[in-house]
Amino acid sequence: LVLTSPVIARDGTFAYNDTALAALIFGMFLVLEIWRAERQTELLICGGLLAGLAFAVKYTGALAIAWAITTVLLASRRARPALIVAGAAALVASPWLIRNAVYTGNPVAPFFNRWFPNPYFYADWERNYLEHLRNFGGLTGREVVTEPLVRGERAQGLAGPLFLLAPIGLWALRHAAGRWLAAAGVVFALPFTQNMGTRFLIPALPFWALCTGVALANARGALALLTVLQAVASWPAFTGYYCGEAAWRLEPQLPFDATLRNIPEDRYLAETEPQYIAARMLEELVPAGGRVFAFSPVAEAYTTRRVVVGYQSAFAVRIREMLWAATIPELHQLRVQEFRFPARVLDRMRLIQTATHPRETWSVSELRVFSRDRELPRDTRWRLRANPNPWEVQRAFDNSELTRWVSHTPLRPGCFVEVSFGRPESIDRVVVESTRDQYQAKLALETAGEGGPWVGIGREAIEIPRSAMVRSVRRAAVEEVKREGITHLLIETSDFKAEDFHMRTANWGIELVGERGNARLYKLK
Protein backbone atom coordinates (compact mmCIF):
# COMPACT_ATOMS: atom_id res chain seq x y z
CA LEU A 1 0.00 0.00 0.00
CA VAL A 2 2.81 2.41 0.85
CA LEU A 3 5.33 1.67 -1.86
CA THR A 4 2.74 1.98 -4.64
CA SER A 5 1.35 5.27 -3.26
CA PRO A 6 1.51 8.16 -5.78
CA VAL A 7 3.05 10.55 -3.25
CA ILE A 8 5.78 8.03 -2.42
CA ALA A 9 6.61 7.62 -6.13
CA ARG A 10 6.87 11.39 -6.66
CA ASP A 11 8.55 12.33 -3.38
CA GLY A 12 10.95 9.42 -3.53
CA THR A 13 12.25 10.45 -6.96
CA PHE A 14 12.57 14.13 -6.05
CA ALA A 15 15.14 15.94 -3.92
CA TYR A 16 12.94 15.61 -0.83
CA ASN A 17 13.81 13.71 2.33
CA ASP A 18 10.35 12.55 3.45
CA THR A 19 10.71 8.93 2.32
CA ALA A 20 14.12 8.72 4.00
CA LEU A 21 12.56 10.09 7.19
CA ALA A 22 9.74 7.53 6.98
CA ALA A 23 12.23 4.67 6.53
CA LEU A 24 14.25 5.80 9.57
CA ILE A 25 11.16 6.19 11.75
CA PHE A 26 9.79 2.80 10.79
CA GLY A 27 13.22 1.22 11.30
CA MET A 28 13.41 2.79 14.76
CA PHE A 29 9.92 1.54 15.60
CA LEU A 30 10.71 -1.99 14.44
CA VAL A 31 14.03 -2.16 16.32
CA LEU A 32 12.36 -1.07 19.55
CA GLU A 33 9.56 -3.61 19.06
CA ILE A 34 12.24 -6.31 18.81
CA TRP A 35 13.87 -4.87 21.95
CA ARG A 36 10.56 -5.10 23.81
CA ALA A 37 10.64 -8.84 23.13
CA GLU A 38 14.39 -9.52 23.56
CA ARG A 39 15.65 -6.70 25.86
CA GLN A 40 19.13 -6.45 24.31
CA THR A 41 21.01 -3.23 25.06
CA GLU A 42 22.47 -3.16 21.54
CA LEU A 43 18.95 -2.76 20.16
CA LEU A 44 18.42 0.31 22.36
CA ILE A 45 21.56 1.86 20.90
CA CYS A 46 20.46 1.05 17.36
CA GLY A 47 16.98 2.47 17.96
CA GLY A 48 18.42 5.65 19.46
CA LEU A 49 20.79 6.14 16.53
CA LEU A 50 17.93 5.76 14.06
CA ALA A 51 15.79 8.24 16.02
CA GLY A 52 18.66 10.74 16.16
CA LEU A 53 19.26 10.39 12.44
CA ALA A 54 15.55 11.00 11.81
CA PHE A 55 15.90 14.32 13.64
CA ALA A 56 19.06 15.14 11.66
CA VAL A 57 17.15 14.50 8.43
CA LYS A 58 14.20 16.74 9.34
CA TYR A 59 13.09 18.64 12.45
CA THR A 60 9.81 16.73 12.51
CA GLY A 61 11.99 13.69 13.23
CA ALA A 62 12.11 14.97 16.81
CA LEU A 63 8.94 12.94 17.25
CA ALA A 64 11.04 9.81 16.68
CA ILE A 65 13.28 10.69 19.63
CA ALA A 66 10.25 11.43 21.79
CA TRP A 67 8.63 8.15 20.74
CA ALA A 68 11.78 6.12 21.43
CA ILE A 69 12.33 7.52 24.91
CA THR A 70 8.64 7.31 25.87
CA THR A 71 8.08 3.74 24.67
CA VAL A 72 11.26 2.50 26.37
CA LEU A 73 10.25 4.18 29.63
CA LEU A 74 6.77 2.66 29.46
CA ALA A 75 8.11 -0.80 28.66
CA SER A 76 10.98 -0.92 31.18
CA ARG A 77 9.78 1.40 33.97
CA ARG A 78 13.49 2.26 34.45
CA ALA A 79 15.54 5.32 33.57
CA ARG A 80 18.70 3.54 32.36
CA PRO A 81 17.26 2.12 29.08
CA ALA A 82 15.71 5.48 28.26
CA LEU A 83 19.03 7.24 28.92
CA ILE A 84 20.79 4.82 26.57
CA VAL A 85 18.30 5.64 23.82
CA ALA A 86 18.56 9.37 24.48
CA GLY A 87 22.35 9.27 24.49
CA ALA A 88 22.51 7.38 21.19
CA ALA A 89 20.02 9.79 19.62
CA ALA A 90 21.98 12.81 20.86
CA LEU A 91 25.16 11.40 19.32
CA VAL A 92 23.64 11.79 15.85
CA ALA A 93 21.30 14.75 16.39
CA SER A 94 23.55 17.12 18.36
CA PRO A 95 26.06 18.01 15.60
CA TRP A 96 23.29 19.82 13.71
CA LEU A 97 22.23 21.74 16.82
CA ILE A 98 25.82 22.68 17.59
CA ARG A 99 26.46 23.74 14.02
CA ASN A 100 23.34 25.96 14.01
CA ALA A 101 24.27 27.50 17.36
CA VAL A 102 27.80 28.30 16.17
CA TYR A 103 26.73 29.74 12.81
CA THR A 104 23.54 31.59 13.79
CA GLY A 105 23.27 31.67 17.57
CA ASN A 106 20.08 29.62 17.31
CA PRO A 107 20.46 25.83 17.69
CA VAL A 108 17.11 25.18 16.00
CA ALA A 109 17.39 27.75 13.20
CA PRO A 110 15.38 28.88 11.35
CA PHE A 111 12.67 28.37 14.00
CA PHE A 112 12.17 29.57 17.61
CA ASN A 113 13.82 32.91 16.84
CA ARG A 114 11.89 34.62 19.64
CA TRP A 115 13.67 32.29 22.07
CA PHE A 116 17.04 32.61 20.32
CA PRO A 117 17.22 36.11 18.76
CA ASN A 118 19.81 36.31 16.00
CA PRO A 119 20.66 38.47 12.96
CA TYR A 120 20.00 35.75 10.38
CA PHE A 121 16.28 34.99 10.75
CA TYR A 122 13.45 37.31 11.78
CA ALA A 123 10.80 36.33 14.30
CA ASP A 124 8.00 37.88 12.20
CA TRP A 125 9.24 36.05 9.10
CA GLU A 126 9.04 32.79 11.08
CA ARG A 127 5.52 33.60 12.28
CA ASN A 128 4.28 34.37 8.78
CA TYR A 129 6.03 31.31 7.35
CA LEU A 130 4.47 28.97 9.91
CA GLU A 131 1.03 30.49 9.36
CA HIS A 132 1.42 29.85 5.65
CA LEU A 133 2.38 26.23 6.29
CA ARG A 134 -0.52 25.69 8.68
CA ASN A 135 -2.91 26.96 6.01
CA PHE A 136 -1.16 25.17 3.17
CA GLY A 137 -3.60 24.80 0.28
CA GLY A 138 -6.43 26.38 2.30
CA LEU A 139 -7.90 23.00 3.21
CA THR A 140 -11.10 23.00 5.24
CA GLY A 141 -13.71 20.45 6.29
CA ARG A 142 -13.59 17.16 4.43
CA GLU A 143 -10.90 18.55 2.11
CA VAL A 144 -8.45 17.80 4.92
CA VAL A 145 -9.10 14.12 4.09
CA THR A 146 -9.90 14.10 0.38
CA GLU A 147 -7.08 16.38 -0.78
CA PRO A 148 -4.13 14.38 0.68
CA LEU A 149 -5.69 10.99 -0.03
CA VAL A 150 -7.49 11.36 -3.34
CA ARG A 151 -7.32 14.79 -5.00
CA GLY A 152 -3.68 15.78 -4.42
CA GLU A 153 -3.98 19.19 -6.07
CA ARG A 154 -3.72 21.66 -3.22
CA ALA A 155 -2.04 19.30 -0.73
CA GLN A 156 1.01 18.62 -2.93
CA GLY A 157 0.39 14.98 -3.70
CA LEU A 158 -1.99 12.13 -2.88
CA ALA A 159 -1.53 8.96 -0.85
CA GLY A 160 -4.02 6.91 -2.86
CA PRO A 161 -7.72 6.05 -2.48
CA LEU A 162 -7.11 2.81 -0.58
CA PHE A 163 -6.01 4.86 2.42
CA LEU A 164 -9.62 5.99 2.72
CA LEU A 165 -10.04 2.55 4.27
CA ALA A 166 -7.59 3.38 7.06
CA PRO A 167 -10.39 3.52 9.69
CA ILE A 168 -10.68 -0.25 9.24
CA GLY A 169 -7.39 -0.30 11.14
CA LEU A 170 -9.26 0.58 14.32
CA TRP A 171 -10.29 -3.07 14.43
CA ALA A 172 -6.60 -3.79 15.08
CA LEU A 173 -6.91 -2.16 18.52
CA ARG A 174 -8.01 -5.59 19.80
CA HIS A 175 -4.35 -6.66 19.60
CA ALA A 176 -1.36 -5.22 21.45
CA ALA A 177 0.60 -4.89 18.22
CA GLY A 178 -2.33 -3.07 16.65
CA ARG A 179 -2.48 -0.60 19.53
CA TRP A 180 1.23 0.26 19.18
CA LEU A 181 0.84 0.67 15.41
CA ALA A 182 -2.23 2.87 15.80
CA ALA A 183 -0.49 5.06 18.36
CA ALA A 184 2.51 5.45 16.06
CA GLY A 185 0.20 6.31 13.16
CA VAL A 186 -1.33 9.13 15.20
CA VAL A 187 1.97 10.49 16.57
CA PHE A 188 3.82 10.55 13.25
CA ALA A 189 0.87 12.20 11.48
CA LEU A 190 1.01 15.19 13.86
CA PRO A 191 3.27 17.31 11.61
CA PHE A 192 0.42 17.35 9.07
CA THR A 193 -1.52 19.58 11.46
CA GLN A 194 1.22 22.21 11.08
CA ASN A 195 1.81 21.72 7.35
CA MET A 196 -1.11 20.32 5.35
CA GLY A 197 1.03 18.88 2.60
CA THR A 198 0.66 15.17 1.87
CA ARG A 199 4.43 14.77 2.21
CA PHE A 200 4.06 15.28 5.94
CA LEU A 201 1.82 12.23 6.18
CA ILE A 202 4.42 9.92 4.62
CA PRO A 203 6.01 8.83 7.95
CA ALA A 204 2.54 7.78 9.20
CA LEU A 205 1.53 5.79 6.10
CA PRO A 206 3.39 2.54 7.01
CA PHE A 207 1.65 2.43 10.39
CA TRP A 208 -1.78 3.08 8.86
CA ALA A 209 -1.16 0.34 6.28
CA LEU A 210 -0.04 -2.17 8.92
CA CYS A 211 -3.05 -1.39 11.11
CA THR A 212 -5.24 -2.25 8.14
CA GLY A 213 -3.19 -5.40 7.63
CA VAL A 214 -3.61 -6.50 11.25
CA ALA A 215 -7.36 -5.84 11.08
CA LEU A 216 -7.78 -7.90 7.89
CA ALA A 217 -5.15 -10.55 8.56
CA ASN A 218 -7.74 -13.30 8.90
CA ALA A 219 -9.87 -12.26 5.94
CA ARG A 220 -8.78 -14.60 3.17
CA GLY A 221 -7.59 -12.76 0.07
CA ALA A 222 -8.42 -9.29 1.46
CA LEU A 223 -4.82 -8.09 1.74
CA ALA A 224 -3.91 -9.34 -1.73
CA LEU A 225 -7.00 -7.63 -3.16
CA LEU A 226 -6.18 -4.31 -1.43
CA THR A 227 -2.62 -4.47 -2.73
CA VAL A 228 -3.73 -5.02 -6.31
CA LEU A 229 -6.38 -2.29 -6.10
CA GLN A 230 -3.88 0.23 -4.69
CA ALA A 231 -1.34 -0.63 -7.38
CA VAL A 232 -3.89 -0.18 -10.16
CA ALA A 233 -5.40 2.98 -8.66
CA SER A 234 -1.91 4.48 -8.21
CA TRP A 235 -0.64 3.74 -11.71
CA PRO A 236 0.26 7.15 -13.22
CA ALA A 237 -2.03 6.71 -16.22
CA PHE A 238 -4.96 5.78 -13.95
CA THR A 239 -4.73 8.48 -11.25
CA GLY A 240 -6.02 11.09 -13.70
CA TYR A 241 -9.48 9.53 -13.48
CA TYR A 242 -9.98 10.78 -9.91
CA CYS A 243 -7.18 13.11 -8.77
CA GLY A 244 -6.99 16.84 -9.45
CA GLU A 245 -5.65 17.98 -12.79
CA ALA A 246 -2.65 19.72 -11.18
CA ALA A 247 -1.99 16.95 -8.63
CA TRP A 248 1.68 16.42 -7.74
CA ARG A 249 2.34 12.93 -9.14
CA LEU A 250 4.33 11.02 -11.72
CA GLU A 251 3.47 11.94 -15.30
CA PRO A 252 0.94 9.62 -16.99
CA GLN A 253 3.45 8.86 -19.75
CA LEU A 254 6.50 7.50 -17.98
CA PRO A 255 9.73 8.81 -19.60
CA PHE A 256 11.33 5.46 -20.42
CA ASP A 257 13.55 7.01 -23.13
CA ALA A 258 14.85 9.59 -20.67
CA THR A 259 15.34 6.95 -18.00
CA LEU A 260 17.45 4.88 -20.39
CA ARG A 261 19.32 8.04 -21.46
CA ASN A 262 18.12 7.72 -25.04
CA ILE A 263 17.12 11.34 -24.50
CA PRO A 264 20.08 13.36 -23.10
CA GLU A 265 19.60 14.50 -19.52
CA ASP A 266 20.11 18.18 -20.34
CA ARG A 267 17.50 18.10 -23.11
CA TYR A 268 14.92 16.26 -21.00
CA LEU A 269 15.30 18.59 -18.01
CA ALA A 270 15.19 21.66 -20.25
CA GLU A 271 11.89 20.43 -21.72
CA THR A 272 10.26 19.53 -18.40
CA GLU A 273 11.70 21.73 -15.64
CA PRO A 274 11.50 25.55 -16.07
CA GLN A 275 13.69 26.09 -13.01
CA TYR A 276 16.42 23.97 -14.61
CA ILE A 277 16.51 26.33 -17.59
CA ALA A 278 16.90 29.32 -15.28
CA ALA A 279 19.65 27.63 -13.26
CA ARG A 280 21.65 26.79 -16.38
CA MET A 281 21.26 30.38 -17.56
CA LEU A 282 22.86 31.53 -14.33
CA GLU A 283 25.72 29.10 -14.85
CA GLU A 284 26.36 30.44 -18.36
CA LEU A 285 25.79 34.18 -17.96
CA VAL A 286 26.76 35.03 -14.38
CA PRO A 287 30.53 35.24 -13.85
CA ALA A 288 32.15 33.10 -11.19
CA GLY A 289 31.91 35.01 -7.93
CA GLY A 290 28.67 36.69 -8.98
CA ARG A 291 25.77 36.81 -6.55
CA VAL A 292 22.20 36.55 -7.80
CA PHE A 293 19.05 37.72 -6.04
CA ALA A 294 15.81 35.92 -6.95
CA PHE A 295 12.30 36.54 -5.65
CA SER A 296 11.34 32.89 -6.32
CA PRO A 297 13.19 29.61 -5.66
CA VAL A 298 15.83 28.43 -8.10
CA ALA A 299 16.98 24.88 -8.88
CA GLU A 300 20.28 25.58 -7.14
CA ALA A 301 21.46 21.97 -7.56
CA TYR A 302 22.12 22.80 -11.22
CA THR A 303 24.24 25.92 -10.76
CA THR A 304 27.40 26.79 -8.84
CA ARG A 305 26.47 30.48 -8.66
CA ARG A 306 25.42 31.90 -5.32
CA VAL A 307 21.67 32.56 -5.22
CA VAL A 308 19.87 34.61 -2.56
CA VAL A 309 16.15 33.72 -2.54
CA GLY A 310 13.93 36.53 -1.34
CA TYR A 311 12.34 34.88 1.70
CA GLN A 312 14.91 32.39 3.00
CA SER A 313 16.94 34.60 5.37
CA ALA A 314 17.02 38.01 7.02
CA PHE A 315 19.55 39.20 4.44
CA ALA A 316 17.28 38.09 1.59
CA VAL A 317 14.24 39.79 3.15
CA ARG A 318 16.18 43.06 3.40
CA ILE A 319 17.13 42.91 -0.29
CA ARG A 320 13.56 42.09 -1.29
CA GLU A 321 12.11 44.94 0.79
CA MET A 322 14.51 47.50 -0.69
CA LEU A 323 13.51 46.51 -4.23
CA TRP A 324 9.81 46.47 -3.39
CA ALA A 325 10.10 49.81 -1.59
CA ALA A 326 11.10 51.47 -4.86
CA THR A 327 7.71 50.54 -6.40
CA ILE A 328 5.39 50.82 -3.37
CA PRO A 329 4.61 54.43 -2.40
CA GLU A 330 3.89 53.53 1.24
CA LEU A 331 7.46 52.31 1.58
CA HIS A 332 9.38 55.14 -0.09
CA GLN A 333 7.18 58.22 0.41
CA LEU A 334 8.22 58.54 4.01
CA ARG A 335 6.25 59.98 6.89
CA VAL A 336 8.21 62.61 8.82
CA GLN A 337 7.54 63.30 12.51
CA GLU A 338 9.25 65.88 14.64
CA PHE A 339 9.90 66.33 18.35
CA ARG A 340 10.67 70.00 19.12
CA PHE A 341 11.58 71.17 22.63
CA PRO A 342 13.68 73.79 24.47
CA ALA A 343 17.38 73.09 23.99
CA ARG A 344 18.89 70.75 26.56
CA VAL A 345 22.32 69.23 27.01
CA LEU A 346 22.20 65.45 26.58
CA ASP A 347 24.46 62.46 26.59
CA ARG A 348 21.81 60.01 25.40
CA MET A 349 18.39 59.90 23.81
CA ARG A 350 16.07 57.15 22.76
CA LEU A 351 12.96 56.86 20.65
CA ILE A 352 10.34 54.55 22.19
CA GLN A 353 7.31 52.85 20.63
CA THR A 354 4.35 52.78 23.06
CA ALA A 355 1.43 51.15 21.16
CA THR A 356 0.28 47.54 20.92
CA HIS A 357 -0.87 45.74 17.79
CA PRO A 358 -0.71 42.01 16.93
CA ARG A 359 0.09 42.40 13.22
CA GLU A 360 1.99 45.64 12.64
CA THR A 361 5.73 46.07 13.16
CA TRP A 362 7.66 49.22 13.93
CA SER A 363 10.44 50.59 11.75
CA VAL A 364 12.61 53.69 11.54
CA SER A 365 14.08 54.73 8.19
CA GLU A 366 16.10 57.65 9.55
CA LEU A 367 16.54 59.22 12.97
CA ARG A 368 17.98 62.74 12.75
CA VAL A 369 19.14 64.94 15.63
CA PHE A 370 19.33 68.74 15.43
CA SER A 371 20.89 71.58 17.39
CA ARG A 372 19.66 75.09 16.44
CA ASP A 373 18.43 73.82 13.06
CA ARG A 374 21.79 72.19 12.32
CA GLU A 375 21.71 68.41 11.92
CA LEU A 376 24.37 66.72 13.96
CA PRO A 377 26.58 64.65 11.66
CA ARG A 378 27.13 60.98 12.49
CA ASP A 379 30.18 60.66 14.69
CA THR A 380 32.45 57.69 15.39
CA ARG A 381 31.81 58.28 19.10
CA TRP A 382 28.11 57.59 18.72
CA ARG A 383 26.99 54.29 20.17
CA LEU A 384 23.73 52.91 18.79
CA ARG A 385 21.38 50.42 20.42
CA ALA A 386 17.98 48.98 19.61
CA ASN A 387 15.59 46.50 21.16
CA PRO A 388 14.63 44.23 19.55
CA ASN A 389 16.86 43.57 16.50
CA PRO A 390 20.00 45.36 17.72
CA TRP A 391 22.03 44.08 14.74
CA GLU A 392 20.44 46.42 12.18
CA VAL A 393 20.17 49.66 14.14
CA GLN A 394 22.78 51.31 11.91
CA ARG A 395 20.24 51.24 9.08
CA ALA A 396 18.31 54.00 10.88
CA PHE A 397 21.38 56.25 10.77
CA ASP A 398 22.79 55.69 7.25
CA ASN A 399 21.08 58.62 5.49
CA SER A 400 19.26 56.35 3.04
CA GLU A 401 15.53 56.54 2.45
CA LEU A 402 15.40 52.89 1.32
CA THR A 403 17.10 51.18 4.24
CA ARG A 404 15.44 50.99 7.62
CA TRP A 405 15.69 49.43 11.02
CA VAL A 406 12.71 47.14 11.65
CA SER A 407 11.70 45.60 14.98
CA HIS A 408 10.39 42.42 13.25
CA THR A 409 8.06 41.80 16.19
CA PRO A 410 4.42 42.89 16.68
CA LEU A 411 3.98 46.38 18.09
CA ARG A 412 4.50 46.42 21.85
CA PRO A 413 5.46 49.11 24.35
CA GLY A 414 9.12 49.40 25.23
CA CYS A 415 10.75 48.84 21.83
CA PHE A 416 13.38 51.52 21.33
CA VAL A 417 16.16 52.96 19.21
CA GLU A 418 18.85 54.64 21.28
CA VAL A 419 21.91 56.76 20.58
CA SER A 420 24.67 57.69 23.04
CA PHE A 421 26.62 60.66 21.70
CA GLY A 422 29.89 60.00 23.54
CA ARG A 423 29.92 63.60 24.79
CA PRO A 424 27.34 66.19 25.90
CA GLU A 425 25.36 67.69 23.02
CA SER A 426 22.86 70.54 22.97
CA ILE A 427 19.69 69.19 21.31
CA ASP A 428 16.42 70.97 20.52
CA ARG A 429 14.85 68.89 17.75
CA VAL A 430 14.60 65.23 16.73
CA VAL A 431 13.17 64.14 13.38
CA VAL A 432 11.90 60.61 12.69
CA GLU A 433 11.43 59.37 9.13
CA SER A 434 9.46 56.16 8.74
CA THR A 435 7.42 54.23 6.21
CA ARG A 436 3.69 54.92 6.01
CA ASP A 437 2.60 51.32 6.62
CA GLN A 438 2.72 51.81 10.41
CA TYR A 439 -0.79 52.99 11.16
CA GLN A 440 -0.91 52.14 14.87
CA ALA A 441 2.61 53.03 16.03
CA LYS A 442 2.92 55.77 18.66
CA LEU A 443 6.24 57.35 19.52
CA ALA A 444 7.73 58.96 22.60
CA LEU A 445 11.14 60.51 23.18
CA GLU A 446 13.30 60.18 26.29
CA THR A 447 16.59 61.90 27.06
CA ALA A 448 19.29 61.56 29.71
CA GLY A 449 22.17 63.70 30.88
CA GLU A 450 25.52 62.39 32.01
CA GLY A 451 24.84 59.55 34.43
CA GLY A 452 21.26 60.72 34.89
CA PRO A 453 17.95 58.85 34.56
CA TRP A 454 15.80 58.72 31.46
CA VAL A 455 13.29 61.59 31.31
CA GLY A 456 10.43 61.96 28.83
CA ILE A 457 10.30 65.29 27.03
CA GLY A 458 6.54 65.49 27.63
CA ARG A 459 5.73 66.33 24.03
CA GLU A 460 4.18 64.29 21.25
CA ALA A 461 5.60 64.09 17.76
CA ILE A 462 3.96 66.27 15.12
CA GLU A 463 3.90 65.37 11.44
CA ILE A 464 5.67 67.76 9.08
CA PRO A 465 5.87 67.91 5.27
CA ARG A 466 8.75 66.09 3.65
CA SER A 467 10.77 67.61 0.84
CA ALA A 468 10.59 65.75 -2.45
CA MET A 469 13.30 63.25 -3.22
CA VAL A 470 15.80 64.37 -5.82
CA ARG A 471 17.24 61.05 -7.08
CA SER A 472 15.42 58.17 -8.73
CA VAL A 473 14.10 55.82 -6.08
CA ARG A 474 14.53 52.81 -8.36
CA ARG A 475 18.14 53.63 -9.11
CA ALA A 476 18.73 54.28 -5.41
CA ALA A 477 17.35 50.83 -4.58
CA VAL A 478 19.72 49.15 -7.05
CA GLU A 479 22.66 51.08 -5.60
CA GLU A 480 21.79 49.82 -2.12
CA VAL A 481 21.46 46.26 -3.41
CA LYS A 482 24.86 46.51 -5.12
CA ARG A 483 26.39 47.64 -1.84
CA GLU A 484 25.10 44.41 -0.32
CA GLY A 485 27.13 42.42 -2.86
CA ILE A 486 24.36 41.48 -5.33
CA THR A 487 25.46 41.54 -8.99
CA HIS A 488 22.40 40.14 -10.82
CA LEU A 489 18.63 39.84 -10.47
CA LEU A 490 16.71 36.76 -11.63
CA ILE A 491 13.04 37.66 -12.04
CA GLU A 492 10.26 35.36 -13.21
CA THR A 493 7.40 36.83 -15.20
CA SER A 494 5.00 35.90 -12.39
CA ASP A 495 7.00 37.72 -9.70
CA PHE A 496 5.61 40.84 -8.05
CA LYS A 497 6.37 43.92 -10.20
CA ALA A 498 8.18 41.80 -12.79
CA GLU A 499 6.97 44.02 -15.64
CA ASP A 500 8.16 47.15 -13.85
CA PHE A 501 11.71 45.77 -13.91
CA HIS A 502 11.33 44.77 -17.55
CA MET A 503 9.84 48.04 -18.83
CA ARG A 504 12.03 50.40 -16.77
CA THR A 505 15.49 48.93 -16.98
CA ALA A 506 17.00 52.40 -17.48
CA ASN A 507 15.26 53.77 -14.39
CA TRP A 508 16.45 50.82 -12.32
CA GLY A 509 19.98 50.91 -13.68
CA ILE A 510 19.88 47.29 -14.81
CA GLU A 511 20.54 45.50 -18.10
CA LEU A 512 18.71 42.44 -19.45
CA VAL A 513 21.42 39.88 -20.23
CA GLY A 514 19.36 36.71 -20.64
CA GLU A 515 15.79 35.45 -20.96
CA ARG A 516 14.81 31.81 -21.00
CA GLY A 517 11.38 30.39 -20.38
CA ASN A 518 9.67 32.46 -17.71
CA ALA A 519 12.90 33.82 -16.22
CA ARG A 520 14.78 37.02 -17.01
CA LEU A 521 18.32 37.73 -15.86
CA TYR A 522 19.39 41.32 -15.25
CA LYS A 523 22.86 42.67 -14.50
CA LEU A 524 23.18 45.59 -12.09
CA LYS A 525 25.03 48.38 -13.88
Side-chain angles (χ1 to χ4, degrees):
L1 294 182
V2 174
L3 294 180
T4 55
S5 169
V7 72
I8 294 290
R10 187 65 168 174
D11 187 283
T13 54
F14 252 60
Y16 282 117
N17 55 13
D18 306 283
T19 51
L21 176 65
L24 290 166
I25 288 175
F26 185 71
M28 176 273 301
F29 176 89
L30 183 59
V31 165
L32 293 182
E33 285 299 289
I34 298 171
W35 169 82
R36 282 170 10 99
E38 300 182 3
R39 301 301 171 108
Q40 296 182 39
T41 302
E42 293 82 357
L43 292 171
L44 290 176
I45 296 172
C46 182
L49 291 173
L50 289 170
L53 185 55
F55 176 81
V57 164
K58 201 179 190 105
Y59 278 145
T60 53
L63 288 172
I65 298 177
W67 175 273
I69 294 173
T70 302
T71 55
V72 169
L73 274 176
L74 291 175
S76 67
R77 305 291 182 177
R78 293 187 297 119
R80 183 175 178 276
L83 290 174
I84 292 174
V85 169
L91 190 66
V92 184
S94 59
W96 288 103
L97 301 177
I98 294 170
R99 178 255 189 197
N100 286 344
V102 170
Y103 273 83
T104 71
N106 178 0
V108 286
F111 303 111
F112 295 99
N113 294 293
R114 289 185 63 185
W115 293 11
F116 303 99
N118 64 88
Y120 303 101
F121 301 99
Y122 296 136
D124 61 341
W125 166 87
E126 178 191 345
R127 184 186 69 246
N128 295 334
Y129 181 61
L130 292 177
E131 284 185 7
H132 166 73
L133 294 181
R134 278 191 289 269
N135 296 289
F136 187 86
L139 306 184
T140 58
R142 64 182 181 183
E143 291 176 335
V144 174
V145 176
T146 58
E147 271 293 323
L149 299 187
V150 182
R151 295 295 297 168
E153 200 162 29
R154 284 155 47 210
Q156 196 181 35
L158 63 153
L162 269 294
F163 279 100
L164 289 171
L165 301 177
I168 292 175
L170 294 175
W171 191 247
L173 296 178
R174 298 173 301 153
H175 309 285
R179 289 191 287 272
W180 281 107
L181 289 168
V186 171
V187 168
F188 295 113
L190 289 176
F192 182 74
T193 64
Q194 301 302 307
N195 186 328
M196 289 192 177
T198 309
R199 296 189 298 115
F200 287 83
L201 286 176
I202 287 178
L205 294 184
F207 301 105
W208 294 0
L210 283 171
C211 276
T212 303
V214 171
L216 299 178
N218 295 323
R220 180 176 298 180
L223 297 182
L225 178 62
L226 286 181
T227 304
V228 171
L229 289 175
Q230 173 77 336
V232 172
S234 300
W235 190 254
F238 192 86
T239 53
Y241 288 109
Y242 60 87
C243 74
E245 184 177 346
W248 195 64
R249 58 195 172 102
L250 292 181
E251 297 300 321
Q253 298 298 321
L254 296 179
F256 290 113
D257 284 340
T259 303
L260 298 173
R261 295 301 190 267
N262 294 329
I263 298 175
E265 179 182 349
D266 183 75
R267 176 183 147 196
Y268 176 75
L269 289 172
E271 292 173 351
T272 58
E273 295 295 336
Q275 288 191 5
Y276 173 80
I277 302 173
R280 298 313 297 169
M281 178 170 62
L282 299 185
E283 193 69 14
E284 294 175 20
L285 301 180
V286 176
R291 201 175 192 188
V292 182
F293 174 82
F295 289 105
S296 302
V298 176
E300 295 178 57
Y302 296 106
T303 179
T304 59
R305 302 302 182 254
R306 297 183 64 188
V307 181
V308 176
V309 180
Y311 63 88
Q312 293 181 347
S313 68
F315 174 74
V317 169
R318 292 198 299 271
I319 299 295
R320 182 186 67 184
E321 288 186 347
M322 283 191 288
L323 292 172
W324 280 355
T327 63
I328 301 175
E330 281 187 313
L331 297 181
H332 71 253
Q333 295 177 2
L334 300 181
R335 177 188 187 190
V336 182
Q337 296 172 281
E338 177 186 76
F339 292 93
R340 188 180 287 270
F341 47 89
R344 59 181 70 180
V345 177
L346 312 173
D347 280 325
R348 300 171 293 159
M349 54 156 276
R350 66 182 179 188
L351 183 69
I352 301 176
Q353 199 289 129
T354 62
T356 300
H357 195 274
R359 304 299 301 177
E360 286 191 17
T361 59
W362 179 41
S363 69
V364 177
S365 299
E366 283 297 312
L367 184 58
R368 305 182 186 276
V369 184
F370 291 82
S371 177
R372 298 178 182 177
D373 291 327
R374 177 183 67 88
E375 183 178 357
L376 297 185
R378 277 56 165 177
D379 193 291
T380 55
R381 285 172 292 197
W382 287 20
R383 294 294 177 264
L384 309 177
R385 294 179 59 222
N387 181 38
N389 192 19
W391 304 277
E392 297 179 12
V393 64
Q394 179 62 40
R395 296 168 69 82
F397 295 85
D398 61 359
N399 207 31
S400 169
E401 64 269 28
L402 288 170
T403 63
R404 56 178 179 155
W405 169 87
V406 187
S407 66
H408 288 293
T409 61
L411 288 183
R412 57 180 173 82
C415 297
F416 67 82
V417 174
E418 177 185 320
V419 54
S420 297
F421 300 109
R423 64 181 180 184
E425 295 280 4
S426 178
I427 307 297
D428 57 14
R429 186 160 64 102
V430 174
V431 172
V432 184
E433 298 177 6
S434 56
T435 56
R436 294 183 175 273
D437 58 344
Q438 307 168 64
Y439 306 102
Q440 305 299 324
K442 294 183 180 180
L443 305 181
L445 187 68
E446 292 183 344
T447 63
E450 184 175 1
W454 289 105
V455 178
I457 65 168
R459 296 169 184 263
E460 292 186 357
I462 58 172
E463 189 161 347
I464 61 175
R466 182 176 186 266
S467 57
M469 292 190 332
V470 177
R471 57 179 182 156
S472 165
V473 67
R474 288 175 174 81
R475 181 71 195 194
V478 166
E479 290 299 320
E480 292 291 348
V481 170
K482 285 172 63 177
R483 274 192 280 272
E484 296 284 0
I486 301 298
T487 61
H488 292 76
L489 303 178
L490 182 69
I491 302 178
E492 295 187 3
T493 54
S494 59
D495 287 335
F496 181 66
K497 297 293 184 180
E499 286 308 302
D500 191 278
F501 287 94
H502 190 56
M503 302 299 295
R504 301 189 181 189
T505 53
N507 298 96
W508 284 100
I510 58 179
E511 176 187 358
L512 180 65
V513 294
E515 182 172 3
R516 296 183 188 174
N518 297 324
R520 297 169 180 148
L521 179 65
Y522 301 91
K523 180 181 179 181
L524 308 189
K525 295 196 294 186

